[in-house]
Amino acid sequence: MQPWTRPQDSPIRSLAALFVAWKTLLLLLAVCSPGLGYDTSTSLFYTESKQAIQLPLVLRYLVGKLTRWDGIYFVQSSRRGYLFEQEWAFGWGFTRVIALCSQVLRKCGVANYVGVEGLVAICIAHLSHLLSVLAVFDLTRALFFNYSVTIAFKAAAFHIISPAGLFLSSPYAESSCALLSFAGCLLFTKSIVHGGPKTGTHDLLVVLAGICFGIATTFRSNGILNGLLLLEEAFRTLLALRDGIQFGVMRRLLATGLGGMCVGAGFLIPQYIAYSEYCEGTDTDVRPWCQRFIPSIYTFVQDYYWNCGFLRYWTVSNLPLFLLATPMFYILTKSGSWALSFKLSQRQEKTDKGQPNEEGRAAQQVLQNLAFTQLALVALTLSTAHVQIITRISSAFPVWLWYGAIASQDGKNTLVGGFVRFMVIYALVQGGLYASFLPPA
């Protein structure tokens, strides 16, 4: 009973128990959801050939329930590559990982089942979500190092019951992007907050953080916002050169530069692959995006096929979707504003003169940068994207988790309790609709 009665005494075990319980509830909800909905794409995909080897009935049913909406694009693209132009809107990195894992299974003697890519993607999503929960816990402990372990436990628990709900269990890139984003933030925090004078090891952590952010960007394009951490560190390092050129400063600048290049590569490499396929050595008409100053297939597809653009989603018919997204926009905005003014360094260890030490100031820098990044996500999503996706893409941003955890400790239980109820209800309703192939998804 300890994981339930005193979770702070065994936080990892308690988080694992909560994770299993929540995932079990969502999967039962998906399995019990009625009908095919108004779209039969999944059923057609998994019965494409009578001669093909089918998954066992139970697995086929479960995979069919979870492979809905955009999940069909991810699974199909991982199986036969990117065939249609609009498919490039869906994370190239995630589909390649699914394809690689499926190939490994076949080489290990597993039969070439129809739909095995969907099963692999679901397993990746679950594993990534579990690891991202543990990453949130470790990141919170690293950044709020003078706080109770209860703060880290609550933040990780909030990430488990995220309003992203079944999207973190399905063939979607959200959970993988969250894991890579949190892992990168953890590496960066360890490079800047802990360990005294910066060494080559600290600078290596910055490069590794950039690699994590870059891979996250190949999974979801919003992962590129993580690069703001490295950009700010690069500017701070450049300012340090005013005191003279030092080897340690130059090494740090090189590390942030390499990390930043890794983040940029995460966005550019898939664009280059698409450009080579559609714009070079073809006898057909050149696609219009090929001739743009910055020939990005991703931005073209979002514009041309999904009608994403500045205030394009602001129509009367979309008002219900704005209302559905309002609670998440509110908590993201409020928590971002809170973090920008929150005096984290005053709660951390201080020097003999009563001033926040270097580690406290560094932790404050990371928190404020992540808050600005979260607010940037709010502004971009609200003005240029389909606003309802904020409930799932917010799962890769940790500031609102920390706000909820600390607010509950500071006596603001009414606000936090209300938001927790919203997350649970929203995730359950959304999960039932998603598995039935009904909006909103």
Side-chain angles (χ1 to χ4, degrees), residues 3 8 12 19 23 27 38 106 112 119 123 140 142 189 193 262 277 350 357 380 390 395 426:
Q8 66 275 14
I12 302 302
F19 180 87
K23 289 297 184 182
L27 290 177
Y38 65 83
R106 295 186 183 101
N112 187 18
L119 180 60
C123 291
T140 308
T189 299
V193 175
C262 291
E277 180 176 341
K350 297 184 178 181
N357 65 7
L380 289 172
I390 194 66
S395 59
Y426 187 93

PDB file of all heavy atoms in Angstrom, residues 3 8 12 19 23 27 38 106 112 119 123 140 142 189 193 262 277 350 357 380 390 395 426:
ATOM      1  N   PRO A   3       2.931   2.707  -2.154  1.00  0.00           N
ATOM      2  CA  PRO A   3       2.866   3.596  -3.300  1.00  0.00           C
ATOM      3  C   PRO A   3       1.644   4.502  -3.294  1.00  0.00           C
ATOM      4  O   PRO A   3       1.662   5.581  -3.895  1.00  0.00           O
ATOM      5  CB  PRO A   3       2.840   2.621  -4.493  1.00  0.00           C
ATOM      6  CG  PRO A   3       3.522   1.400  -3.981  1.00  0.00           C
ATOM      7  CD  PRO A   3       3.104   1.318  -2.552  1.00  0.00           C
ATOM      8  N   GLN A   8       5.702   9.741  -1.733  1.00  0.00           N
ATOM      9  CA  GLN A   8       6.997  10.397  -1.696  1.00  0.00           C
ATOM     10  C   GLN A   8       8.096   9.496  -1.130  1.00  0.00           C
ATOM     11  O   GLN A   8       9.280   9.736  -1.342  1.00  0.00           O
ATOM     12  CB  GLN A   8       6.924  11.703  -0.891  1.00  0.00           C
ATOM     13  CG  GLN A   8       6.639  11.535   0.589  1.00  0.00           C
ATOM     14  CD  GLN A   8       5.156  11.430   0.886  1.00  0.00           C
ATOM     15  OE1 GLN A   8       4.339  11.228  -0.003  1.00  0.00           O
ATOM     16  NE2 GLN A   8       4.808  11.579   2.174  1.00  0.00           N
ATOM     17  N   ILE A  12       9.310   6.560  -7.540  1.00  0.00           N
ATOM     18  CA  ILE A  12       9.386   5.875  -8.831  1.00  0.00           C
ATOM     19  C   ILE A  12       8.378   4.728  -8.890  1.00  0.00           C
ATOM     20  O   ILE A  12       7.654   4.563  -9.881  1.00  0.00           O
ATOM     21  CB  ILE A  12      10.816   5.354  -9.089  1.00  0.00           C
ATOM     22  CG1 ILE A  12      11.820   6.512  -9.043  1.00  0.00           C
ATOM     23  CG2 ILE A  12      10.877   4.646 -10.433  1.00  0.00           C
ATOM     24  CD1 ILE A  12      11.545   7.620 -10.028  1.00  0.00           C
ATOM     25  N   PHE A  19       0.982   5.099 -13.493  1.00  0.00           N
ATOM     26  CA  PHE A  19       1.064   5.014 -14.951  1.00  0.00           C
ATOM     27  C   PHE A  19       0.304   3.785 -15.455  1.00  0.00           C
ATOM     28  O   PHE A  19      -0.500   3.874 -16.387  1.00  0.00           O
ATOM     29  CB  PHE A  19       2.527   4.943 -15.379  1.00  0.00           C
ATOM     30  CG  PHE A  19       2.748   4.849 -16.867  1.00  0.00           C
ATOM     31  CD1 PHE A  19       2.831   5.999 -17.644  1.00  0.00           C
ATOM     32  CD2 PHE A  19       2.868   3.613 -17.488  1.00  0.00           C
ATOM     33  CE1 PHE A  19       3.031   5.924 -19.010  1.00  0.00           C
ATOM     34  CE2 PHE A  19       3.069   3.528 -18.858  1.00  0.00           C
ATOM     35  CZ  PHE A  19       3.150   4.681 -19.615  1.00  0.00           C
ATOM     36  N   LYS A  23      -3.049   3.991 -17.773  1.00  0.00           N
ATOM     37  CA  LYS A  23      -3.013   3.415 -19.112  1.00  0.00           C
ATOM     38  C   LYS A  23      -4.022   2.280 -19.255  1.00  0.00           C
ATOM     39  O   LYS A  23      -4.653   2.120 -20.311  1.00  0.00           O
ATOM     40  CB  LYS A  23      -1.608   2.900 -19.424  1.00  0.00           C
ATOM     41  CG  LYS A  23      -0.575   3.987 -19.641  1.00  0.00           C
ATOM     42  CD  LYS A  23      -0.915   4.832 -20.852  1.00  0.00           C
ATOM     43  CE  LYS A  23       0.166   5.860 -21.129  1.00  0.00           C
ATOM     44  NZ  LYS A  23      -0.162   6.740 -22.270  1.00  0.00           N
ATOM     45  N   LEU A  27      -6.949   2.205 -22.060  1.00  0.00           N
ATOM     46  CA  LEU A  27      -7.037   1.106 -23.017  1.00  0.00           C
ATOM     47  C   LEU A  27      -8.389   0.391 -22.917  1.00  0.00           C
ATOM     48  O   LEU A  27      -8.975   0.001 -23.938  1.00  0.00           O
ATOM     49  CB  LEU A  27      -5.895   0.121 -22.797  1.00  0.00           C
ATOM     50  CG  LEU A  27      -4.498   0.630 -23.177  1.00  0.00           C
ATOM     51  CD1 LEU A  27      -3.434  -0.417 -22.847  1.00  0.00           C
ATOM     52  CD2 LEU A  27      -4.425   1.001 -24.656  1.00  0.00           C
ATOM     53  N   TYR A  38     -17.330   7.500 -38.412  1.00  0.00           N
ATOM     54  CA  TYR A  38     -17.714   7.823 -39.782  1.00  0.00           C
ATOM     55  C   TYR A  38     -16.597   7.546 -40.783  1.00  0.00           C
ATOM     56  O   TYR A  38     -16.744   7.774 -41.976  1.00  0.00           O
ATOM     57  CB  TYR A  38     -18.134   9.292 -39.893  1.00  0.00           C
ATOM     58  CG  TYR A  38     -17.041  10.295 -39.628  1.00  0.00           C
ATOM     59  CD1 TYR A  38     -16.147  10.656 -40.629  1.00  0.00           C
ATOM     60  CD2 TYR A  38     -16.915  10.907 -38.388  1.00  0.00           C
ATOM     61  CE1 TYR A  38     -15.143  11.576 -40.391  1.00  0.00           C
ATOM     62  CE2 TYR A  38     -15.912  11.821 -38.151  1.00  0.00           C
ATOM     63  CZ  TYR A  38     -15.043  12.160 -39.146  1.00  0.00           C
ATOM     64  OH  TYR A  38     -14.046  13.080 -38.902  1.00  0.00           O
ATOM     65  N   ARG A 106      11.442  -8.410 -37.825  1.00  0.00           N
ATOM     66  CA  ARG A 106      11.432  -9.382 -38.926  1.00  0.00           C
ATOM     67  C   ARG A 106      12.754 -10.143 -38.994  1.00  0.00           C
ATOM     68  O   ARG A 106      12.770 -11.353 -39.252  1.00  0.00           O
ATOM     69  CB  ARG A 106      11.141  -8.665 -40.238  1.00  0.00           C
ATOM     70  CG  ARG A 106       9.744  -8.050 -40.314  1.00  0.00           C
ATOM     71  CD  ARG A 106       9.439  -7.468 -41.683  1.00  0.00           C
ATOM     72  NE  ARG A 106       8.133  -6.828 -41.698  1.00  0.00           N
ATOM     73  CZ  ARG A 106       7.947  -5.514 -41.616  1.00  0.00           C
ATOM     74  NH1 ARG A 106       8.998  -4.707 -41.531  1.00  0.00           N
ATOM     75  NH2 ARG A 106       6.728  -5.012 -41.637  1.00  0.00           N
ATOM     76  N   ASN A 112       5.865 -11.348 -40.950  1.00  0.00           N
ATOM     77  CA  ASN A 112       5.535 -10.036 -41.505  1.00  0.00           C
ATOM     78  C   ASN A 112       4.025  -9.805 -41.410  1.00  0.00           C
ATOM     79  O   ASN A 112       3.295  -9.864 -42.403  1.00  0.00           O
ATOM     80  CB  ASN A 112       6.006  -9.951 -42.954  1.00  0.00           C
ATOM     81  CG  ASN A 112       5.839  -8.554 -43.522  1.00  0.00           C
ATOM     82  OD1 ASN A 112       5.690  -7.589 -42.784  1.00  0.00           O
ATOM     83  ND2 ASN A 112       5.854  -8.451 -44.845  1.00  0.00           N
ATOM     84  N   LEU A 119       1.360  -1.851 -34.128  1.00  0.00           N
ATOM     85  CA  LEU A 119       1.655  -2.411 -32.808  1.00  0.00           C
ATOM     86  C   LEU A 119       2.982  -1.889 -32.284  1.00  0.00           C
ATOM     87  O   LEU A 119       3.100  -1.530 -31.098  1.00  0.00           O
ATOM     88  CB  LEU A 119       1.690  -3.939 -32.898  1.00  0.00           C
ATOM     89  CG  LEU A 119       1.978  -4.692 -31.597  1.00  0.00           C
ATOM     90  CD1 LEU A 119       0.919  -4.375 -30.545  1.00  0.00           C
ATOM     91  CD2 LEU A 119       2.047  -6.196 -31.849  1.00  0.00           C
ATOM     92  N   CYS A 123       3.638   0.445 -28.901  1.00  0.00           N
ATOM     93  CA  CYS A 123       4.618   0.094 -27.865  1.00  0.00           C
ATOM     94  C   CYS A 123       5.617   1.223 -27.646  1.00  0.00           C
ATOM     95  O   CYS A 123       5.979   1.543 -26.500  1.00  0.00           O
ATOM     96  CB  CYS A 123       5.350  -1.184 -28.260  1.00  0.00           C
ATOM     97  SG  CYS A 123       4.316  -2.673 -28.229  1.00  0.00           S
ATOM     98  N   THR A 140      12.781  17.865 -12.711  1.00  0.00           N
ATOM     99  CA  THR A 140      12.282  18.692 -11.606  1.00  0.00           C
ATOM    100  C   THR A 140      13.247  18.661 -10.430  1.00  0.00           C
ATOM    101  O   THR A 140      13.528  19.699  -9.809  1.00  0.00           O
ATOM    102  CB  THR A 140      10.892  18.205 -11.157  1.00  0.00           C
ATOM    103  OG1 THR A 140      10.021  18.125 -12.286  1.00  0.00           O
ATOM    104  CG2 THR A 140      10.294  19.164 -10.130  1.00  0.00           C
ATOM    105  N   ALA A 142      16.419  18.168 -10.605  1.00  0.00           N
ATOM    106  CA  ALA A 142      17.648  18.859 -10.988  1.00  0.00           C
ATOM    107  C   ALA A 142      17.472  20.368 -10.967  1.00  0.00           C
ATOM    108  O   ALA A 142      18.386  21.104 -10.566  1.00  0.00           O
ATOM    109  CB  ALA A 142      18.086  18.405 -12.381  1.00  0.00           C
ATOM    110  N   THR A 189      20.208  21.216 -18.190  1.00  0.00           N
ATOM    111  CA  THR A 189      20.172  21.676 -16.801  1.00  0.00           C
ATOM    112  C   THR A 189      21.382  21.176 -16.023  1.00  0.00           C
ATOM    113  O   THR A 189      22.004  21.928 -15.258  1.00  0.00           O
ATOM    114  CB  THR A 189      18.870  21.197 -16.126  1.00  0.00           C
ATOM    115  OG1 THR A 189      17.750  21.738 -16.815  1.00  0.00           O
ATOM    116  CG2 THR A 189      18.822  21.643 -14.673  1.00  0.00           C
ATOM    117  N   VAL A 193      23.537  24.004 -14.303  1.00  0.00           N
ATOM    118  CA  VAL A 193      23.124  24.257 -12.923  1.00  0.00           C
ATOM    119  C   VAL A 193      24.041  23.585 -11.921  1.00  0.00           C
ATOM    120  O   VAL A 193      24.334  24.137 -10.866  1.00  0.00           O
ATOM    121  CB  VAL A 193      21.663  23.795 -12.710  1.00  0.00           C
ATOM    122  CG1 VAL A 193      21.264  23.937 -11.242  1.00  0.00           C
ATOM    123  CG2 VAL A 193      20.725  24.608 -13.591  1.00  0.00           C
ATOM    124  N   CYS A 262      22.620  20.908 -34.364  1.00  0.00           N
ATOM    125  CA  CYS A 262      21.884  19.648 -34.269  1.00  0.00           C
ATOM    126  C   CYS A 262      20.375  19.899 -34.257  1.00  0.00           C
ATOM    127  O   CYS A 262      19.605  19.159 -34.887  1.00  0.00           O
ATOM    128  CB  CYS A 262      22.289  18.881 -33.016  1.00  0.00           C
ATOM    129  SG  CYS A 262      23.980  18.233 -33.060  1.00  0.00           S
ATOM    130  N   GLU A 277      13.610  14.353 -53.481  1.00  0.00           N
ATOM    131  CA  GLU A 277      12.643  13.472 -54.120  1.00  0.00           C
ATOM    132  C   GLU A 277      11.723  14.206 -55.076  1.00  0.00           C
ATOM    133  O   GLU A 277      11.407  13.706 -56.166  1.00  0.00           O
ATOM    134  CB  GLU A 277      11.812  12.762 -53.046  1.00  0.00           C
ATOM    135  CG  GLU A 277      10.753  11.816 -53.607  1.00  0.00           C
ATOM    136  CD  GLU A 277      10.016  11.058 -52.528  1.00  0.00           C
ATOM    137  OE1 GLU A 277      10.546  10.978 -51.397  1.00  0.00           O
ATOM    138  OE2 GLU A 277       8.922  10.540 -52.804  1.00  0.00           O
ATOM    139  N   LYS A 350      21.984  29.783  -0.843  1.00  0.00           N
ATOM    140  CA  LYS A 350      22.572  31.103  -1.026  1.00  0.00           C
ATOM    141  C   LYS A 350      24.017  31.116  -0.545  1.00  0.00           C
ATOM    142  O   LYS A 350      24.466  30.241   0.186  1.00  0.00           O
ATOM    143  CB  LYS A 350      21.750  32.152  -0.267  1.00  0.00           C
ATOM    144  CG  LYS A 350      20.320  32.291  -0.791  1.00  0.00           C
ATOM    145  CD  LYS A 350      19.582  33.399  -0.091  1.00  0.00           C
ATOM    146  CE  LYS A 350      18.172  33.567  -0.668  1.00  0.00           C
ATOM    147  NZ  LYS A 350      17.442  34.674  -0.015  1.00  0.00           N
ATOM    148  N   ASN A 357      23.388  31.830  -5.147  1.00  0.00           N
ATOM    149  CA  ASN A 357      24.653  31.385  -5.713  1.00  0.00           C
ATOM    150  C   ASN A 357      24.527  31.157  -7.214  1.00  0.00           C
ATOM    151  O   ASN A 357      23.464  31.343  -7.806  1.00  0.00           O
ATOM    152  CB  ASN A 357      25.155  30.135  -4.993  1.00  0.00           C
ATOM    153  CG  ASN A 357      24.231  28.941  -5.195  1.00  0.00           C
ATOM    154  OD1 ASN A 357      23.285  28.997  -5.962  1.00  0.00           O
ATOM    155  ND2 ASN A 357      24.519  27.870  -4.488  1.00  0.00           N
ATOM    156  N   LEU A 380       2.045  30.849 -31.096  1.00  0.00           N
ATOM    157  CA  LEU A 380       2.095  30.252 -32.436  1.00  0.00           C
ATOM    158  C   LEU A 380       0.876  29.380 -32.706  1.00  0.00           C
ATOM    159  O   LEU A 380       0.291  29.429 -33.794  1.00  0.00           O
ATOM    160  CB  LEU A 380       3.373  29.431 -32.587  1.00  0.00           C
ATOM    161  CG  LEU A 380       4.678  30.227 -32.683  1.00  0.00           C
ATOM    162  CD1 LEU A 380       5.883  29.286 -32.619  1.00  0.00           C
ATOM    163  CD2 LEU A 380       4.717  31.043 -33.974  1.00  0.00           C
ATOM    164  N   ILE A 390      -3.500  21.971 -29.035  1.00  0.00           N
ATOM    165  CA  ILE A 390      -2.718  22.431 -27.887  1.00  0.00           C
ATOM    166  C   ILE A 390      -2.810  21.447 -26.731  1.00  0.00           C
ATOM    167  O   ILE A 390      -1.872  21.314 -25.938  1.00  0.00           O
ATOM    168  CB  ILE A 390      -3.196  23.834 -27.437  1.00  0.00           C
ATOM    169  CG1 ILE A 390      -2.179  24.464 -26.481  1.00  0.00           C
ATOM    170  CG2 ILE A 390      -4.564  23.772 -26.805  1.00  0.00           C
ATOM    171  CD1 ILE A 390      -0.855  24.785 -27.101  1.00  0.00           C
ATOM    172  N   SER A 395       2.085  18.527 -24.099  1.00  0.00           N
ATOM    173  CA  SER A 395       2.660  17.450 -23.297  1.00  0.00           C
ATOM    174  C   SER A 395       4.181  17.446 -23.319  1.00  0.00           C
ATOM    175  O   SER A 395       4.814  16.784 -22.491  1.00  0.00           O
ATOM    176  CB  SER A 395       2.145  16.095 -23.798  1.00  0.00           C
ATOM    177  OG  SER A 395       2.473  15.901 -25.165  1.00  0.00           O
ATOM    178  N   TYR A 426     -11.455  15.395 -19.576  1.00  0.00           N
ATOM    179  CA  TYR A 426     -11.159  15.640 -20.979  1.00  0.00           C
ATOM    180  C   TYR A 426     -10.497  14.424 -21.610  1.00  0.00           C
ATOM    181  O   TYR A 426     -10.852  14.002 -22.722  1.00  0.00           O
ATOM    182  CB  TYR A 426     -10.255  16.863 -21.122  1.00  0.00           C
ATOM    183  CG  TYR A 426     -10.035  17.285 -22.560  1.00  0.00           C
ATOM    184  CD1 TYR A 426     -10.857  18.248 -23.154  1.00  0.00           C
ATOM    185  CD2 TYR A 426      -9.019  16.726 -23.326  1.00  0.00           C
ATOM    186  CE1 TYR A 426     -10.669  18.628 -24.466  1.00  0.00           C
ATOM    187  CE2 TYR A 426      -8.829  17.099 -24.648  1.00  0.00           C
ATOM    188  CZ  TYR A 426      -9.647  18.060 -25.210  1.00  0.00           C
ATOM    189  OH  TYR A 426      -9.464  18.433 -26.516  1.00  0.00           O
TER     190      TYR A 426
END
